[in-house]
Amino acid sequence: MAQQLAEVGYLADESAALVSYLATRLGKPVLVEGPAGVGKTELAKALARASGRELIRLQCYEGLDEAKALYEWNYRKQLLAIQADAATGESPVAEPTRAGVGSIAEIFAEEFLLTRPLLAAIASPDPVVLLIDEIDKTDQEFEAMLLEVLSDFQVSIPELGVIEAVTHPLVLLTSNNSRELTEALKRRCLYLWLDYPDAAREIEIIRLHAPEAEQALVERLVELISAVRELDLKKPPSIAESIDWARALVLIGADQIDDEVFRETISVIVKHRTDLDLVAERIGLGKLGKAGP
Ligand SMILES: Nc1ncnc2c1ncn2[C@@H]1O[C@H](COP(=O)(O)OP(=O)(O)OP(=O)(O)O)[C@@H](O)[C@H]1O
Ligand SMILES: [Mg+2]
């Protein structure tokens, strides 16, 4: 599995590779937790690439409801259909007493349905990877609805009936821990904790994304990044920041990280005023020394 993921540009550690393998074989959803920017979203994308499946993504946010996650009726289109029918005198609903309920049902047909990510993943004829990103941003009510969909792999639409999955999606849920998820959801899922990678893996990841950066430079960069992560920062630099830093260093033509370079580029990896102060005080800006002659 690690090999397959590496082929599509994702360098998984042992636990990520194992959980991914188990998820595909057991057909269970995976709950991926960990700090920001450690590759949670990217893992789902990589699994889709590796398996040749389409990726369907549901980006969660506060207030996300069924209408945006599952399906909703296209009222505009329904209204237009009613008006068009009324104009030609064949309206199914303009004279409901004669036309009856059967005709009203015409505007609750599939062509008037707006399919949202969850339903799309369930209804897809080919198996997909379903990424439910940042589930912790939604509320418990939404989680309960999700649980139902994930355990039955079916969606019940009162006006249409039950839509059952023909194929099962591979489901990944990610969370940044902004709230504790319910036990019921955790029970349903395999669990993967993604953390900052060790130095060797981080070097590999950076070199993959910023191949122009020299090995020695990247090694030094990772050393500094992990020292910065040791500090008690509001927002420690993630892999995304490491990659950005390597690219920035290449762009400004730096082949070493001395005081001046560090000071000039620190804002690429540290993005809070108080964090900047802490880094300046504890790590450097005066302690790294000058570049060679
Ligand atoms: N193991 C890895 N192999 C290759 N690239 C990686 C790996 N881990 C992270 N990356 C890269 O790091 C960056 C950040 O990853 P990603 O966006 O998936 O993080 P995230 O955990 O979803 O963050 P957030 O919590 O902020 O959404 C991406 O550019 C991704 O390509
Ligand atoms: Mg993400």
Side-chain angles (χ1 to χ4, degrees):
M1 195 81 217
Q3 172 77 31
Q4 284 157 279
L5 287 169
E7 276 164 19
V8 293
Y10 191 87
L11 306 176
D13 62 13
E14 263 168 47
S15 59
L18 179 66
V19 172
S20 305
Y21 172 75
L22 291 176
T24 33
R25 299 309 295 264
L26 299 174
K28 286 194 113 187
V30 185
L31 172 62
V32 190
E33 287 192 308
V38 290
K40 300 185 294 294
T41 303
E42 190 60 31
L43 176 61
K45 293 182 181 171
L47 279 169
R49 290 198 296 273
S51 59
R53 295 180 176 200
E54 186 196 344
L55 177 80
I56 295 184
R57 179 176 184 169
L58 174 65
Q59 179 61 51
C60 299
Y61 50 87
E62 219 184 300
L64 173 64
D65 58 7
E66 275 187 40
K68 289 285 172 283
L70 211 49
Y71 71 88
E72 65 187 320
W73 290 105
N74 189 340
Y75 296 122
R76 229 177 89 83
K77 198 172 166 192
Q78 286 176 324
L79 200 64
L80 285 172
I82 293 169
Q83 285 169 346
D85 282 354
T88 57
E90 304 167 2
S91 168
V93 271
E95 297 170 300
T97 41
R98 257 194 293 146
V101 176
S103 303
I104 289 178
E106 278 174 27
I107 57 162
F108 287 104
E110 240 174 283
E111 62 173 306
F112 296 101
L113 200 64
L114 290 172
T115 308
R116 302 302 185 198
L118 286 182
L119 180 59
I122 289 282
S124 168
D126 300 312
V128 300
V129 172
L130 171 63
L131 167 62
I132 301 171
D133 217 1
E134 311 192 356
I135 172 77
D136 51 327
K137 298 231 172 97
T138 65
D139 53 24
Q140 292 205 358
E141 194 184 327
F142 184 87
E143 221 183 288
M145 184 278 291
L146 195 62
L147 217 58
E148 217 176 290
V149 175
L150 292 185
S151 47
D152 302 342
F153 285 110
Q154 63 178 38
V155 172
S156 158
I157 303 176
E159 300 88 344
L160 272 186
V162 174
I163 298 183
E164 269 180 71
V166 202
T167 55
H168 279 195
L170 172 60
V171 184
L172 271 89
L173 304 107
T174 78
S175 159
N176 272 341
N177 281 317
S178 73
R179 78 173 165 86
E180 190 70 29
L181 302 172
T182 61
E183 283 304 317
L185 183 81
K186 288 188 174 170
R187 233 182 355 258
R188 280 283 311 154
C189 298
L190 298 172
Y191 185 75
L192 174 64
W193 172 262
L194 271 190
D195 213 332
Y196 300 115
D198 60 26
R201 186 175 315 280
E202 185 153 11
I203 291 169
E204 265 190 274
I205 295 173
I206 295 171
R207 297 218 67 202
L208 186 72
H209 287 273
E212 329 78 68
E214 297 287 342
Q215 175 76 16
L217 180 75
V218 174
E219 280 172 14
R220 179 72 180 130
L221 180 159
V222 165
E223 212 178 299
L224 285 168
I225 283 270
S226 56
V228 172
R229 280 185 196 141
E230 296 278 302
L231 306 175
D232 191 19
L233 299 187
K234 227 189 235 170
K235 165 80 178 70
S238 69
I239 303 178
E241 270 95 23
S242 303
I243 296 171
D244 284 346
W245 200 18
R247 288 184 178 146
L249 293 174
V250 169
L251 275 179
I252 63 170
D255 47 12
Q256 291 190 48
I257 308 172
D258 58 23
D259 276 335
E260 200 187 332
V261 169
F262 192 67
R263 195 177 317 111
E264 275 172 6
T265 54
I266 183 73
S267 59
V268 177
I269 58 166
V270 179
K271 297 167 182 171
H272 278 283
R273 178 72 248 168
T274 47
D275 285 355
L276 282 171
D277 293 343
L278 200 65
V279 171
E281 178 195 316
R282 300 283 295 279
I283 298 227
L285 308 188
K287 292 178 202 154
L288 296 176
K290 265 248 160 269

